[in-house]
Amino acid sequence: MQQYNIHTAKTQLSALVDKAAAGDSFIIAKAGKPMVKVIPISPQKTVQRIGFLKGQIKIPDDFDRMGQMEIIDTFEGSI
């Protein structure tokens, strides 16, 4: 594993961040003594929202006709 001193890490920070993001870990040392290990962050999982209740609820077959008579009565009045 590659090791960089603090001065080099400060002057080449952007390049070292790109290196870590590409999957390469490295160590930053102070006066030759290893201080920290820099590792890439694993990508966060995205949550799939569409269909997340699939199989957990049941929609009645007459869903599109539920309350039909009440709606007609509300708008047209009693027949």
Side-chain angles (χ1 to χ4, degrees):
M1 184 174 298
Q2 192 88 23
Q3 180 171 310
Y4 300 93
N5 65 37
I6 289 181
H7 177 74
T8 303
K10 286 194 292 186
T11 58
Q12 297 180 4
L13 180 61
S14 183
L16 291 175
V17 168
D18 290 341
K19 180 178 180 172
D24 296 329
S25 301
F26 57 90
I27 294 172
I28 297 178
K30 183 175 186 179
K33 179 181 173 188
M35 300 297 285
V36 295
K37 180 179 180 181
V38 180
I39 60 170
I41 296 175
S42 60
Q44 295 181 358
K45 294 182 180 180
T46 57
V47 178
Q48 180 183 1
R49 299 297 300 168
I50 296 176
F52 69 99
L53 289 176
K54 186 175 183 176
Q56 297 181 27
I57 60 172
K58 173 140 175 49
I59 299 173
D61 293 332
D62 65 342
F63 177 77
D64 58 341
R65 295 181 307 276
M66 290 174 58
Q68 182 176 10
M69 296 311 295
E70 291 84 3
I71 294 171
I72 291 171
D73 187 44
T74 300
F75 286 99
E76 296 179 7
S78 296
I79 298 176

